[in-house]
Every structure is written in structure tokens, then in C-alpha cells.
Amino acid sequence: VTRLSIFSLLSFQITREKIIRFFAEGSKRLKACEEMADRAPYNWTILDHELFNSATTCAVKSMAALVGSNEDSKSFDLDGPACLTEMLSLVDAGHDYINRTKCGEHSPVPLEEALNVLRKLLSTLGFTQATSKAGLDSAEQPTSNVVGGEVALAEILSTFREEIRSIAIRQMKISNTSDDRKANATELLKICDDARNASSVAGLELLDSKVDSADGDNQKLKWRWCRPNQKTDDSKIMAQNKEKKPRKLSSRVPVHDLFRVGSYEGVYSEYDAIGMPTTNADGTPVSKSALKKLKKKREKYERKLEIGDSYP
């Protein structure tokens, strides 16, 4: 297998994951819009026209790339990279459209067109229905073995995990709980963390606490679709920290930047308002157990600053 062929396989895999994520989020938005009653007639906005035009452009240019080039009359080849570029451009436009619009305030036609264009192209390229029809409910996708589709399965998984976590946390808070029961509860919490990390690899983010929906419908989410991440865990992250050559931090380093420099440089990608890491470099959320250890390190560093000492 050549280096070029490996690169091509990786490019197709990354493209497929991004498209599947868009299918899931787009289908979820369309379904939510259908369930909203008493909708007024839609007046297309600039955003609607832009997405519809992007879908049309993608369809035309992608098919032109698949037809290939025969200008020199000696060779004929398909322009695969150009086709992938157009498809990814439409996916990015679709994600941007979903993030900038609210459910029920825009016509569903542009989003439907974008999804349909991508599904037809994937089918033309020979992808199976597992990819080309990803995100559709079982009623729309007869080949699905899950009644209710991916959304129903995500609801079941997130509810099950939430209940198990609640039981384990309650057990940990009981003052007269035996050591054996606390150990069992700790193990259950670890299993819940493992399930969350494994789900993020598949593009499903299971939330430890409910968050507001990005659609502006005042709903609280227990889960949401996310960018598929590489598999990771707390032990791997901690091992990466130890492998890095430790750098001595001056006492002048602000507490807010403690986990941005030194041995932590490049380990995390997002932080909260006080500088605590919220997301690992690979896109997975920082677990509660890892965050607890980081908080202790931060407190120790703050005490060092108070007495004017440096922090190694």
C-alpha cells in the first residue's frame, strides 16, 4: 500500500465522518421543524438563498468532476479530490447554516436540498445506505434495524447512563456507605466515563449535566451530536503529560494560564472563564476525575504564589 493510497483512504474516512455528522444534525433540525405547529409562511432570507445556492453549486461541480477530463484526448480521469472538496464545502455551509438559524423561522427547503444533494452523490460514488441514508428515521430508511433511528438509540443510551450515574453518585454521598459499596459506585462512575468517551468517538456526546439546546427552543439536552473524535482516556492524557519534558514555570505565570504552558502546552484546546481546561486536544471533554486533579494542582500553585515561591 503506497503512502498516497493511505492518504486517500484517510481523506475518504474523514470526509465520510463529517458528512454523517451533518446528516444527523440536519435530519434532527428538519424533524424538529416538522413538529412545530402553527408555522407562518416562510420568507426566504439571505442565509436560505446562500445554502440553496451552495447545494446547487456542489451538485453541478461534483458531477462535472465525476464526468472527468479528456482535454488532451489521450487520457480520461475522474477528479476525485475536486468532488470531495465540493462536498466538504457544502457540509461546512450546512453546519454554518444550522448554527446561524433557529428552528421554525426558516424554510426547510434549503437544508433538505443540501442533504439530498450529498445523499445522491454518496450513492453515485458507491457508498452503502449506512452512509448515504445516515440520520434518517427507520420509516425513511427501511434497512435500519433500530426503530426510531439514531436519535431514538441516543436517547435510550443517554437516559440509561444518566440513571446509572445518579445511583452511583447518591451511593457515594451516603455517609454510612461501606467501603465495598463505595468501590462499586466508583467503578460504575468509571464505566459511565468510559461510555461517554467511547460515544464521542462515534460522534455522540453524552453530557454529564443538561445544557441548553442550540436551536433556541428552550429544551435541555442530555446528549448532542459532535465531531467524531479519536479514542482517548484520562490515563493516556496523563501519560502524555509525563512524557513531555517538564518546564519550570515562573511565579509570574498567571493562574489563568497555568494549564496553557509548560508540560500542559498543547494538551488542551478549550478552557473556561477562569482558565480551567474543558476540552482535550483531540476534542473530547475533560472528565470530572481529571478536572478534579487539575483543580488540586491549581490550588497548590495558588498557595505557592501567595508565599512568593516558584512552581516546578
Side-chain angles (χ1 to χ4, degrees):
V1 181
T2 65
R3 186 177 300 177
L4 179 59
S5 64
I6 293 175
F7 175 78
S8 298
L9 289 173
L10 290 174
S11 297
F12 270 108
Q13 181 62 20
I14 293 172
T15 301
R16 178 182 179 275
E17 291 174 351
K18 291 186 68 173
I19 293 175
I20 287 179
R21 180 190 169 198
F22 175 53
F23 282 167
E25 293 183 353
S27 297
K28 182 180 178 181
R29 167 64 70 87
L30 291 177
K31 183 177 180 181
C33 291
E34 291 176 358
E35 294 175 351
M36 296 185 68
D38 300 327
R39 293 180 298 176
Y42 296 110
N43 293 320
W44 280 41
T45 65
I46 294 178
L47 295 177
D48 297 323
H49 285 288
E50 287 179 348
L51 181 59
F52 191 85
N53 291 337
S54 296
T56 302
T57 300
C58 176
V60 173
K61 290 188 176 181
S62 295
M63 291 307 297
L66 294 178
V67 169
S69 174
N70 194 23
E71 295 179 355
D72 58 5
S73 70
K74 295 181 180 180
S75 62
F76 180 86
D77 196 12
L78 306 181
D79 194 350
C83 182
L84 289 180
T85 299
E86 292 301 327
M87 293 173 70
L88 288 176
S89 178
L90 179 55
V91 169
D92 291 338
H95 279 305
D96 183 64
Y97 178 84
I98 292 175
N99 292 332
R100 296 175 63 186
T101 59
K102 292 184 178 180
C103 185
E105 296 182 0
H106 294 262
S107 171
V109 174
L111 187 54
E112 289 174 345
E113 181 66 14
L115 294 171
N116 289 336
V117 165
L118 289 171
R119 294 190 194 282
K120 289 178 181 178
L121 286 171
L122 289 175
S123 180
T124 301
L125 290 169
F127 283 83
T128 65
Q129 290 189 353
T131 299
S132 63
K133 294 187 178 297
L136 295 177
D137 289 340
S138 57
E140 302 172 272
Q141 184 180 179
T143 56
S144 174
N145 294 320
V146 180
V147 177
E150 296 173 334
V151 173
L153 187 60
E155 285 286 350
I156 294 171
L157 178 60
S158 63
T159 299
F160 175 77
R161 178 178 178 274
E162 182 182 37
E163 292 177 355
I164 295 298
R165 286 189 75 254
S166 297
I167 293 173
I169 292 173
R170 287 199 301 269
Q171 195 68 45
M172 294 287 289
K173 291 181 178 180
I174 298 177
S175 58
N176 60 349
T177 300
S178 65
D179 292 338
D180 288 342
R181 289 192 174 184
K182 284 187 176 181
N184 290 337
T186 300
E187 183 64 21
L188 285 177
L189 290 175
K190 182 181 182 302
I191 293 173
C192 289
D193 285 344
D194 291 342
R196 179 198 60 212
N197 295 338
S199 297
S200 68
V201 176
L204 172 65
E205 181 181 4
L206 299 175
L207 303 171
D208 290 337
S209 58
K210 295 182 179 180
V211 300
D212 293 329
S213 170
D215 291 336
D217 50 10
N218 296 323
Q219 292 184 356
K220 295 290 185 178
L221 301 178
K222 297 183 294 184
W223 62 272
R224 57 191 174 192
W225 304 117
C226 67
R227 174 176 61 84
N229 300 310
Q230 294 180 346
K231 188 175 182 180
T232 186
D233 52 41
D234 296 339
S235 60
K236 180 179 178 181
I237 294 172
M238 299 304 291
Q240 290 174 346
N241 291 347
K242 292 180 180 179
E243 290 175 359
K244 292 190 175 184
K245 184 178 179 180
R247 302 177 187 175
K248 187 173 182 179
L249 297 180
S250 168
S251 60
R252 292 189 295 272
V253 174
V255 177
H256 183 274
D257 295 329
L258 176 61
F259 300 116
R260 302 173 189 265
V261 298
S263 61
Y264 297 103
E265 184 176 355
V267 177
Y268 307 105
S269 60
E270 295 181 10
Y271 303 82
D272 63 15
I274 63 172
M276 292 299 295
T278 59
T279 307
N280 297 311
D282 63 356
T284 58
V286 177
S287 67
K288 286 190 174 182
S289 59
L291 189 59
K292 185 177 181 180
K293 295 177 182 178
L294 294 174
K295 286 182 178 179
K296 289 183 178 180
K297 290 182 179 291
R298 179 189 173 98
E299 292 171 357
K300 181 179 178 181
Y301 179 60
E302 290 175 337
R303 290 195 295 270
K304 292 273 188 179
L305 292 181
E306 288 176 359
I307 61 176
D309 198 358
S310 61
Y311 186 78

